[in-house]
Amino acid sequence: MQEWASQLCENRQFGSKMTDSKYFTTTKKGEIFELKAELNSDKKEKKKEAVKKVIASMTVGKDVSALFPDVVNCMQTDNLELKKLVYLYLMNYAKSQPDMAIMAVNTFVKDCEDPNPLIRALAVRTMGCIRVDKITEYLCEPLRKCLKDEDPYVRKTAAVCVAKLHDINAQLVEDQGFLDTLKDLISDSNPMVVANAVAALSEIAESHPNSNLLDLNPQTINKLLTALNECTEWGQIFILDCLANYTPRDDRESQSICERVTPRLSHANSAVVLSAVKVLMKFMEMLPKDLDYYGTLLKKLAPPLVTLLSAEPELQYVALRNINLIVQRRPEILKHEMKVFFVKYNDPIYVKLEKLDIMIRLASQANIAQVLAELKEYATEVDVDFVRKAVRAIGRCAIKVEQSAERCVSTLLDLIQTKVNYVVQEAIVVIKDIFRKYPNKYESVIATLCENLDSLDEPEARAAMIWIVGEYAERIDNADELLESFLEGFHDESTQVQLQLLTAIVKLFLKKPTETQELVQQVLSLATQDSDNPDLRDRGYIYWRLLSTDPVAAKEVVLAEKPLISEETDLIEPTLLEELICHIGTLASVYHKPPSAFVEGSRGVQHKRLPGSAGSGESVESPDTGSAAGVSDAPPAVIPSQGDLLGDLLNLDLTPPATTGPPPPATSGLQLGAMDLLGGGLDSLLGGDLGGSSAMGAGFGAPPAAAAAPFSAPVSGGLDDLFDLGGGVGMPMGAYSPPKTVWLPAMKGKGLEISGTFARRAGVIQMEMTLTNKAMSVMTDFAIQFNRNSFGLAPAGPLQVLTPLSPNQSIEVTLPLSTVGPVMKMDPLNNLQVAVKNNIDVFYFSCQYPISMLFVEDGKMERQVFLATWKDIPNDSEAQFQIADCRLSSDAASNKLQGSNIFTIAKRTVDGQDMLYQSTKLSNGIWVLAELRVQTGNPNFTVCLKCRAPEVAQCVFQSYEAVLKN
């Protein structure tokens, strides 16, 4: 289509612009016969007129394929305009008339040897556009000649033709050696030929990611950089995109390339500028930050990005979406350019919203006063969506810049006083987040918020207000009345408000039990009996059960201390951000999604990564390395988006648990399993203490039998199993656990030595440690914390060191772990950074857990499912490993692996070789399928692993090796 359009444009230069429109007027019936006669006319002018009429009919959608042989006969002409028109017709109809198209082959061959380079190029271009298998082999010789043509215009056209031919018949192109010729063209003397050769090779490499066609080396890169200065703007884009795929050997080469690419930043074409920015952003990763040139480069990147914002709105939007990514990766580039992101009155809404987002990302203590003044102004605009976003932005600034929080709250209160409905509602939503970030600091504004209760009609604002009332019920005298007013229309509320109201009333009851008994009874009844929503019903039953069986636990769960919200929750997940930086200037950078998320088929699914930054290999074991080691200084965790590495690898619910306390003791679990799920209602609360209050009165009844019935079966039959207390699916004995190693030597721990290992017992992951005091003083007040890690490992309870640790004394400690902590990809994947505190200091160390600890007990896949899954996982996600010197029979190996939750699905024997097909499942739901080959008499085993997250394969293999050899 593109070729067709470009040729139509070229044809305009030949005929009169005024007269061509006559060909598109409606014509009478029987036209085909007239055209046929005209096409066979002896007069050249009449022929040309007829072909123009045919093209016009074809353009408006009429079927003129019947004229194919007559039009093809007109190819034999010296008239360039007529030849172009015939070629245009040929491209359009060759697919539907492949047998006829062969008639044109001789003319192509002849035209490829024409003395006029325009005709040679036209012939080779048309050949590439005729997508007919039958005639491709006839075109190889003409194409070979054109690739070595003396005229650069013909060579550059032929280079693109190779890519088109490869798309039709890849094998033919490889057999004919065109790819090697294309690689030779990279050394061509003409810069446009070089650019087209690079474009063609890049196109072919995209559809064949593993082909390594663009074998980039310093010599090739030098040739490309030389051509860069002289070719057209689109040629420059092709070359820059190719450079972005190169990884320099060291920082010196990286700096050299950056210096030669930097002049492109001042190009008039915005696409060239963005491609140059992409190359520089990638190669900057390899430059040491203390290098003078690094600072110079940062300064040079700002002006071109700012200049892009003076273009038309559509271009501004594309530029802003790219700047959004750049600012997340390197905010220092634009930290002094805040003013250019201030909104103009005539900006379209999509530009305004994007600018607002970048303003918040660049907000800092230095410019917060300016930003807040702007945001307050925006909050009085007429555009409702923009005003809402501006109010939210004020809240985000308060959370991001702590010093500005008071000023932000004051600004929000001023906005609430305007009494503009949607402004008030947005303000309440963001104040809730400010309360979460700075507890016990700004609660004095609650009274003002309560005054606006009646004006709230949006679910999010109502839910936020209910949360505030429930959270600070002890400070609000009439909290029960406020919540009761919401309860009147409970069934008309959205699910979000209903869930929040249920939790708020339970909080209120736990804080003021004597006054709110009827209220909590009413809301539990509404949530469990009268609601069709399973989420609401389940939460209602959980609260009812908690309150009726263990009021103290209920208080610990419902009123637990909440984690502070992170500064910026809308940051793009780091691995996805790296990939998007590698795609600056493409659709991926506008969508903020990887190409694999919106490009169908095999193209575009190659995942790109930024190179490792200079000096990034410091140890994380010493507290002296600053934030790299500090558990609390890690970047904010964000839920990974689907499609990126962590999205595939760790596709799990990252919501933190309501409490980080220890799991309930086994006795209470058994007691739960033995009783009816809702037996006794809340009767056990009556007369109970519940944290100091003894007068709770009477009157709670059990939920109706009808509501309890569906739950009785799972409780009587399976609740013990659920808590893994009644034997259930506990792990077989003999599961592999690695020997203890020293994690924290006494030298680093100021006399505290920690050695440990990991084990999985009865379905629970445990960290087993020996703490030894080699100092002269007593150690007390032990606590432990984990950094974010690949699989969300977190302590399921506090570190239980019940007695002081005297000098020269050792103590064994077992810490149960959960897998619902915050997630961040580590390198290696199973690395765990730990901080241990005692009365002396905080100590940091890192250790590696065997991934077999994460293999769950229900990892045995059905045979049919296994077969379908094995076929479904692509072959490039398969990894093969050798396990040397393992003298076990296949049955002994299978039994040993089953002890670590690696289950054999099937076994077959081929030529004396046993093949075991196995499955295992990780705690985050990732399945790993394996084929273990055991040859009788051969101590070397082969294991093939298939998984949708190939990153885990290496760790799984290490577990296989450890289990089988120990």
Side-chain angles (χ1 to χ4, degrees), residues 826-851:
M826 302 299 288
D827 187 17
L829 211 58
N830 58 339
N831 193 34
L832 183 66
Q833 294 177 344
V834 184
V836 172
K837 179 185 86 73
N838 63 12
N839 59 324
I840 295 170
D841 204 348
V842 179
F843 308 104
Y844 303 91
F845 62 87
S846 64
C847 54
Q848 291 181 16
Y849 48 91
I851 211 165

PDB file of all heavy atoms in Angstrom, residues 826-851:
ATOM      1  N   MET A 826      15.570 -10.098  41.965  1.00  0.00           N
ATOM      2  CA  MET A 826      16.929 -10.062  42.487  1.00  0.00           C
ATOM      3  C   MET A 826      17.876 -10.748  41.498  1.00  0.00           C
ATOM      4  O   MET A 826      17.450 -11.494  40.621  1.00  0.00           O
ATOM      5  CB  MET A 826      16.996 -10.795  43.842  1.00  0.00           C
ATOM      6  CG  MET A 826      16.063 -10.243  44.902  1.00  0.00           C
ATOM      7  SD  MET A 826      16.397  -8.534  45.321  1.00  0.00           S
ATOM      8  CE  MET A 826      17.922  -8.706  46.230  1.00  0.00           C
ATOM      9  N   ASP A 827      19.143 -10.501  41.660  1.00  0.00           N
ATOM     10  CA  ASP A 827      20.155 -11.158  40.847  1.00  0.00           C
ATOM     11  C   ASP A 827      21.240 -11.704  41.784  1.00  0.00           C
ATOM     12  O   ASP A 827      21.913 -10.902  42.438  1.00  0.00           O
ATOM     13  CB  ASP A 827      20.749 -10.160  39.856  1.00  0.00           C
ATOM     14  CG  ASP A 827      21.686 -10.832  38.863  1.00  0.00           C
ATOM     15  OD1 ASP A 827      21.609 -12.075  38.745  1.00  0.00           O
ATOM     16  OD2 ASP A 827      22.495 -10.132  38.223  1.00  0.00           O
ATOM     17  N   PRO A 828      21.391 -13.018  41.917  1.00  0.00           N
ATOM     18  CA  PRO A 828      20.585 -14.049  41.270  1.00  0.00           C
ATOM     19  C   PRO A 828      19.154 -14.066  41.816  1.00  0.00           C
ATOM     20  O   PRO A 828      18.863 -13.448  42.838  1.00  0.00           O
ATOM     21  CB  PRO A 828      21.335 -15.349  41.629  1.00  0.00           C
ATOM     22  CG  PRO A 828      22.074 -15.026  42.881  1.00  0.00           C
ATOM     23  CD  PRO A 828      22.427 -13.577  42.812  1.00  0.00           C
ATOM     24  N   LEU A 829      18.325 -14.846  41.147  1.00  0.00           N
ATOM     25  CA  LEU A 829      16.884 -14.833  41.436  1.00  0.00           C
ATOM     26  C   LEU A 829      16.570 -15.235  42.867  1.00  0.00           C
ATOM     27  O   LEU A 829      15.624 -14.743  43.473  1.00  0.00           O
ATOM     28  CB  LEU A 829      16.198 -15.795  40.455  1.00  0.00           C
ATOM     29  CG  LEU A 829      14.789 -15.471  40.032  1.00  0.00           C
ATOM     30  CD1 LEU A 829      14.702 -14.105  39.377  1.00  0.00           C
ATOM     31  CD2 LEU A 829      14.266 -16.525  39.080  1.00  0.00           C
ATOM     32  N   ASN A 830      17.399 -16.155  43.431  1.00  0.00           N
ATOM     33  CA  ASN A 830      17.098 -16.666  44.776  1.00  0.00           C
ATOM     34  C   ASN A 830      17.911 -15.959  45.862  1.00  0.00           C
ATOM     35  O   ASN A 830      18.123 -16.505  46.945  1.00  0.00           O
ATOM     36  CB  ASN A 830      17.345 -18.185  44.831  1.00  0.00           C
ATOM     37  CG  ASN A 830      18.774 -18.545  44.458  1.00  0.00           C
ATOM     38  OD1 ASN A 830      19.452 -17.761  43.812  1.00  0.00           O
ATOM     39  ND2 ASN A 830      19.228 -19.710  44.858  1.00  0.00           N
ATOM     40  N   ASN A 831      18.349 -14.757  45.561  1.00  0.00           N
ATOM     41  CA  ASN A 831      19.119 -13.989  46.553  1.00  0.00           C
ATOM     42  C   ASN A 831      18.167 -13.353  47.567  1.00  0.00           C
ATOM     43  O   ASN A 831      17.093 -12.881  47.209  1.00  0.00           O
ATOM     44  CB  ASN A 831      19.935 -12.895  45.848  1.00  0.00           C
ATOM     45  CG  ASN A 831      20.984 -12.289  46.766  1.00  0.00           C
ATOM     46  OD1 ASN A 831      21.546 -12.971  47.619  1.00  0.00           O
ATOM     47  ND2 ASN A 831      21.244 -11.015  46.618  1.00  0.00           N
ATOM     48  N   LEU A 832      18.569 -13.356  48.830  1.00  0.00           N
ATOM     49  CA  LEU A 832      17.740 -12.774  49.899  1.00  0.00           C
ATOM     50  C   LEU A 832      18.622 -11.853  50.736  1.00  0.00           C
ATOM     51  O   LEU A 832      19.646 -12.279  51.271  1.00  0.00           O
ATOM     52  CB  LEU A 832      17.167 -13.898  50.779  1.00  0.00           C
ATOM     53  CG  LEU A 832      16.231 -13.459  51.902  1.00  0.00           C
ATOM     54  CD1 LEU A 832      14.947 -12.849  51.351  1.00  0.00           C
ATOM     55  CD2 LEU A 832      15.881 -14.635  52.810  1.00  0.00           C
ATOM     56  N   GLN A 833      18.229 -10.579  50.837  1.00  0.00           N
ATOM     57  CA  GLN A 833      18.969  -9.615  51.657  1.00  0.00           C
ATOM     58  C   GLN A 833      18.249  -9.487  52.996  1.00  0.00           C
ATOM     59  O   GLN A 833      17.040  -9.282  53.039  1.00  0.00           O
ATOM     60  CB  GLN A 833      19.028  -8.255  50.948  1.00  0.00           C
ATOM     61  CG  GLN A 833      19.839  -8.311  49.664  1.00  0.00           C
ATOM     62  CD  GLN A 833      19.835  -6.987  48.924  1.00  0.00           C
ATOM     63  OE1 GLN A 833      19.015  -6.118  49.182  1.00  0.00           O
ATOM     64  NE2 GLN A 833      20.747  -6.832  47.980  1.00  0.00           N
ATOM     65  N   VAL A 834      19.021  -9.627  54.066  1.00  0.00           N
ATOM     66  CA  VAL A 834      18.437  -9.718  55.405  1.00  0.00           C
ATOM     67  C   VAL A 834      19.076  -8.666  56.312  1.00  0.00           C
ATOM     68  O   VAL A 834      20.271  -8.389  56.209  1.00  0.00           O
ATOM     69  CB  VAL A 834      18.677 -11.134  56.005  1.00  0.00           C
ATOM     70  CG1 VAL A 834      17.994 -11.279  57.360  1.00  0.00           C
ATOM     71  CG2 VAL A 834      18.187 -12.211  55.043  1.00  0.00           C
ATOM     72  N   ALA A 835      18.253  -8.083  57.179  1.00  0.00           N
ATOM     73  CA  ALA A 835      18.772  -7.202  58.231  1.00  0.00           C
ATOM     74  C   ALA A 835      18.367  -7.795  59.574  1.00  0.00           C
ATOM     75  O   ALA A 835      17.203  -8.135  59.781  1.00  0.00           O
ATOM     76  CB  ALA A 835      18.192  -5.796  58.092  1.00  0.00           C
ATOM     77  N   VAL A 836      19.344  -7.966  60.475  1.00  0.00           N
ATOM     78  CA  VAL A 836      19.056  -8.462  61.836  1.00  0.00           C
ATOM     79  C   VAL A 836      19.466  -7.375  62.828  1.00  0.00           C
ATOM     80  O   VAL A 836      20.576  -6.824  62.729  1.00  0.00           O
ATOM     81  CB  VAL A 836      19.815  -9.775  62.118  1.00  0.00           C
ATOM     82  CG1 VAL A 836      19.681 -10.167  63.581  1.00  0.00           C
ATOM     83  CG2 VAL A 836      19.279 -10.894  61.237  1.00  0.00           C
ATOM     84  N   LYS A 837      18.573  -7.072  63.743  1.00  0.00           N
ATOM     85  CA  LYS A 837      18.840  -6.016  64.736  1.00  0.00           C
ATOM     86  C   LYS A 837      18.942  -6.648  66.113  1.00  0.00           C
ATOM     87  O   LYS A 837      18.241  -7.612  66.426  1.00  0.00           O
ATOM     88  CB  LYS A 837      17.682  -5.005  64.705  1.00  0.00           C
ATOM     89  CG  LYS A 837      17.823  -3.854  65.703  1.00  0.00           C
ATOM     90  CD  LYS A 837      16.586  -2.968  65.711  1.00  0.00           C
ATOM     91  CE  LYS A 837      15.515  -3.497  66.653  1.00  0.00           C
ATOM     92  NZ  LYS A 837      15.818  -3.332  68.065  1.00  0.00           N
ATOM     93  N   ASN A 838      19.842  -6.135  66.945  1.00  0.00           N
ATOM     94  CA  ASN A 838      19.827  -6.464  68.372  1.00  0.00           C
ATOM     95  C   ASN A 838      20.175  -5.202  69.154  1.00  0.00           C
ATOM     96  O   ASN A 838      20.195  -4.098  68.591  1.00  0.00           O
ATOM     97  CB  ASN A 838      20.765  -7.649  68.680  1.00  0.00           C
ATOM     98  CG  ASN A 838      22.225  -7.336  68.367  1.00  0.00           C
ATOM     99  OD1 ASN A 838      22.583  -6.179  68.127  1.00  0.00           O
ATOM    100  ND2 ASN A 838      23.068  -8.360  68.363  1.00  0.00           N
ATOM    101  N   ASN A 839      20.435  -5.357  70.456  1.00  0.00           N
ATOM    102  CA  ASN A 839      20.677  -4.170  71.288  1.00  0.00           C
ATOM    103  C   ASN A 839      21.999  -3.467  70.951  1.00  0.00           C
ATOM    104  O   ASN A 839      22.260  -2.369  71.417  1.00  0.00           O
ATOM    105  CB  ASN A 839      20.667  -4.554  72.778  1.00  0.00           C
ATOM    106  CG  ASN A 839      21.741  -5.612  73.081  1.00  0.00           C
ATOM    107  OD1 ASN A 839      21.995  -6.484  72.261  1.00  0.00           O
ATOM    108  ND2 ASN A 839      22.366  -5.550  74.233  1.00  0.00           N
ATOM    109  N   ILE A 840      22.824  -4.107  70.092  1.00  0.00           N
ATOM    110  CA  ILE A 840      24.131  -3.512  69.765  1.00  0.00           C
ATOM    111  C   ILE A 840      24.067  -2.697  68.474  1.00  0.00           C
ATOM    112  O   ILE A 840      24.522  -1.568  68.419  1.00  0.00           O
ATOM    113  CB  ILE A 840      25.209  -4.623  69.655  1.00  0.00           C
ATOM    114  CG1 ILE A 840      25.397  -5.274  71.037  1.00  0.00           C
ATOM    115  CG2 ILE A 840      26.526  -4.069  69.129  1.00  0.00           C
ATOM    116  CD1 ILE A 840      26.227  -6.523  71.023  1.00  0.00           C
ATOM    117  N   ASP A 841      23.466  -3.276  67.417  1.00  0.00           N
ATOM    118  CA  ASP A 841      23.478  -2.600  66.120  1.00  0.00           C
ATOM    119  C   ASP A 841      22.526  -3.323  65.163  1.00  0.00           C
ATOM    120  O   ASP A 841      21.883  -4.323  65.528  1.00  0.00           O
ATOM    121  CB  ASP A 841      24.911  -2.611  65.537  1.00  0.00           C
ATOM    122  CG  ASP A 841      25.134  -1.476  64.524  1.00  0.00           C
ATOM    123  OD1 ASP A 841      24.127  -0.833  64.109  1.00  0.00           O
ATOM    124  OD2 ASP A 841      26.289  -1.236  64.179  1.00  0.00           O
ATOM    125  N   VAL A 842      22.465  -2.814  63.913  1.00  0.00           N
ATOM    126  CA  VAL A 842      21.746  -3.505  62.826  1.00  0.00           C
ATOM    127  C   VAL A 842      22.793  -4.091  61.896  1.00  0.00           C
ATOM    128  O   VAL A 842      23.740  -3.399  61.508  1.00  0.00           O
ATOM    129  CB  VAL A 842      20.839  -2.528  62.040  1.00  0.00           C
ATOM    130  CG1 VAL A 842      20.122  -3.274  60.915  1.00  0.00           C
ATOM    131  CG2 VAL A 842      19.841  -1.867  62.963  1.00  0.00           C
ATOM    132  N   PHE A 843      22.629  -5.377  61.542  1.00  0.00           N
ATOM    133  CA  PHE A 843      23.616  -6.059  60.702  1.00  0.00           C
ATOM    134  C   PHE A 843      22.940  -6.527  59.417  1.00  0.00           C
ATOM    135  O   PHE A 843      21.813  -7.003  59.437  1.00  0.00           O
ATOM    136  CB  PHE A 843      24.220  -7.255  61.446  1.00  0.00           C
ATOM    137  CG  PHE A 843      24.752  -6.883  62.808  1.00  0.00           C
ATOM    138  CD1 PHE A 843      24.057  -7.218  63.950  1.00  0.00           C
ATOM    139  CD2 PHE A 843      25.930  -6.158  62.923  1.00  0.00           C
ATOM    140  CE1 PHE A 843      24.529  -6.852  65.205  1.00  0.00           C
ATOM    141  CE2 PHE A 843      26.414  -5.781  64.167  1.00  0.00           C
ATOM    142  CZ  PHE A 843      25.704  -6.133  65.319  1.00  0.00           C
ATOM    143  N   TYR A 844      23.691  -6.415  58.315  1.00  0.00           N
ATOM    144  CA  TYR A 844      23.146  -6.789  57.014  1.00  0.00           C
ATOM    145  C   TYR A 844      23.939  -7.966  56.450  1.00  0.00           C
ATOM    146  O   TYR A 844      25.153  -8.005  56.557  1.00  0.00           O
ATOM    147  CB  TYR A 844      23.239  -5.623  56.028  1.00  0.00           C
ATOM    148  CG  TYR A 844      22.544  -4.373  56.498  1.00  0.00           C
ATOM    149  CD1 TYR A 844      23.235  -3.406  57.226  1.00  0.00           C
ATOM    150  CD2 TYR A 844      21.213  -4.161  56.215  1.00  0.00           C
ATOM    151  CE1 TYR A 844      22.605  -2.261  57.657  1.00  0.00           C
ATOM    152  CE2 TYR A 844      20.563  -3.008  56.650  1.00  0.00           C
ATOM    153  CZ  TYR A 844      21.272  -2.063  57.373  1.00  0.00           C
ATOM    154  OH  TYR A 844      20.642  -0.922  57.800  1.00  0.00           O
ATOM    155  N   PHE A 845      23.233  -8.901  55.845  1.00  0.00           N
ATOM    156  CA  PHE A 845      23.911  -9.965  55.101  1.00  0.00           C
ATOM    157  C   PHE A 845      22.961 -10.440  54.004  1.00  0.00           C
ATOM    158  O   PHE A 845      21.763 -10.132  54.011  1.00  0.00           O
ATOM    159  CB  PHE A 845      24.330 -11.128  56.017  1.00  0.00           C
ATOM    160  CG  PHE A 845      23.182 -11.844  56.696  1.00  0.00           C
ATOM    161  CD1 PHE A 845      22.526 -12.902  56.078  1.00  0.00           C
ATOM    162  CD2 PHE A 845      22.763 -11.468  57.970  1.00  0.00           C
ATOM    163  CE1 PHE A 845      21.491 -13.576  56.706  1.00  0.00           C
ATOM    164  CE2 PHE A 845      21.723 -12.133  58.614  1.00  0.00           C
ATOM    165  CZ  PHE A 845      21.084 -13.197  57.976  1.00  0.00           C
ATOM    166  N   SER A 846      23.532 -11.172  53.044  1.00  0.00           N
ATOM    167  CA  SER A 846      22.660 -11.768  52.025  1.00  0.00           C
ATOM    168  C   SER A 846      22.974 -13.250  51.945  1.00  0.00           C
ATOM    169  O   SER A 846      24.100 -13.686  52.203  1.00  0.00           O
ATOM    170  CB  SER A 846      22.855 -11.093  50.675  1.00  0.00           C
ATOM    171  OG  SER A 846      24.153 -11.302  50.207  1.00  0.00           O
ATOM    172  N   CYS A 847      21.935 -14.019  51.615  1.00  0.00           N
ATOM    173  CA  CYS A 847      22.103 -15.475  51.493  1.00  0.00           C
ATOM    174  C   CYS A 847      21.247 -15.933  50.310  1.00  0.00           C
ATOM    175  O   CYS A 847      20.425 -15.171  49.801  1.00  0.00           O
ATOM    176  CB  CYS A 847      21.678 -16.180  52.782  1.00  0.00           C
ATOM    177  SG  CYS A 847      20.007 -15.740  53.316  1.00  0.00           S
ATOM    178  N   GLN A 848      21.466 -17.174  49.907  1.00  0.00           N
ATOM    179  CA  GLN A 848      20.677 -17.718  48.803  1.00  0.00           C
ATOM    180  C   GLN A 848      19.895 -18.929  49.281  1.00  0.00           C
ATOM    181  O   GLN A 848      20.467 -19.837  49.882  1.00  0.00           O
ATOM    182  CB  GLN A 848      21.580 -18.088  47.627  1.00  0.00           C
ATOM    183  CG  GLN A 848      22.179 -16.863  46.953  1.00  0.00           C
ATOM    184  CD  GLN A 848      23.057 -17.210  45.768  1.00  0.00           C
ATOM    185  OE1 GLN A 848      23.018 -18.313  45.245  1.00  0.00           O
ATOM    186  NE2 GLN A 848      23.878 -16.251  45.341  1.00  0.00           N
ATOM    187  N   TYR A 849      18.582 -18.907  49.013  1.00  0.00           N
ATOM    188  CA  TYR A 849      17.743 -20.029  49.439  1.00  0.00           C
ATOM    189  C   TYR A 849      17.586 -21.000  48.269  1.00  0.00           C
ATOM    190  O   TYR A 849      17.504 -20.577  47.110  1.00  0.00           O
ATOM    191  CB  TYR A 849      16.373 -19.554  49.916  1.00  0.00           C
ATOM    192  CG  TYR A 849      15.687 -18.587  48.997  1.00  0.00           C
ATOM    193  CD1 TYR A 849      14.824 -19.033  47.988  1.00  0.00           C
ATOM    194  CD2 TYR A 849      15.886 -17.210  49.110  1.00  0.00           C
ATOM    195  CE1 TYR A 849      14.201 -18.139  47.135  1.00  0.00           C
ATOM    196  CE2 TYR A 849      15.265 -16.311  48.251  1.00  0.00           C
ATOM    197  CZ  TYR A 849      14.422 -16.784  47.269  1.00  0.00           C
ATOM    198  OH  TYR A 849      13.801 -15.911  46.413  1.00  0.00           O
ATOM    199  N   PRO A 850      17.578 -22.315  48.562  1.00  0.00           N
ATOM    200  CA  PRO A 850      17.335 -23.267  47.464  1.00  0.00           C
ATOM    201  C   PRO A 850      15.894 -23.101  46.994  1.00  0.00           C
ATOM    202  O   PRO A 850      14.978 -23.033  47.808  1.00  0.00           O
ATOM    203  CB  PRO A 850      17.562 -24.635  48.125  1.00  0.00           C
ATOM    204  CG  PRO A 850      17.357 -24.395  49.576  1.00  0.00           C
ATOM    205  CD  PRO A 850      17.723 -22.978  49.857  1.00  0.00           C
ATOM    206  N   ILE A 851      15.697 -23.024  45.689  1.00  0.00           N
ATOM    207  CA  ILE A 851      14.349 -22.755  45.181  1.00  0.00           C
ATOM    208  C   ILE A 851      13.403 -23.923  45.468  1.00  0.00           C
ATOM    209  O   ILE A 851      12.186 -23.785  45.423  1.00  0.00           O
ATOM    210  CB  ILE A 851      14.421 -22.412  43.676  1.00  0.00           C
ATOM    211  CG1 ILE A 851      13.292 -21.434  43.315  1.00  0.00           C
ATOM    212  CG2 ILE A 851      14.389 -23.624  42.811  1.00  0.00           C
ATOM    213  CD1 ILE A 851      13.465 -20.769  41.986  1.00  0.00           C
TER     214      ILE A 851
END
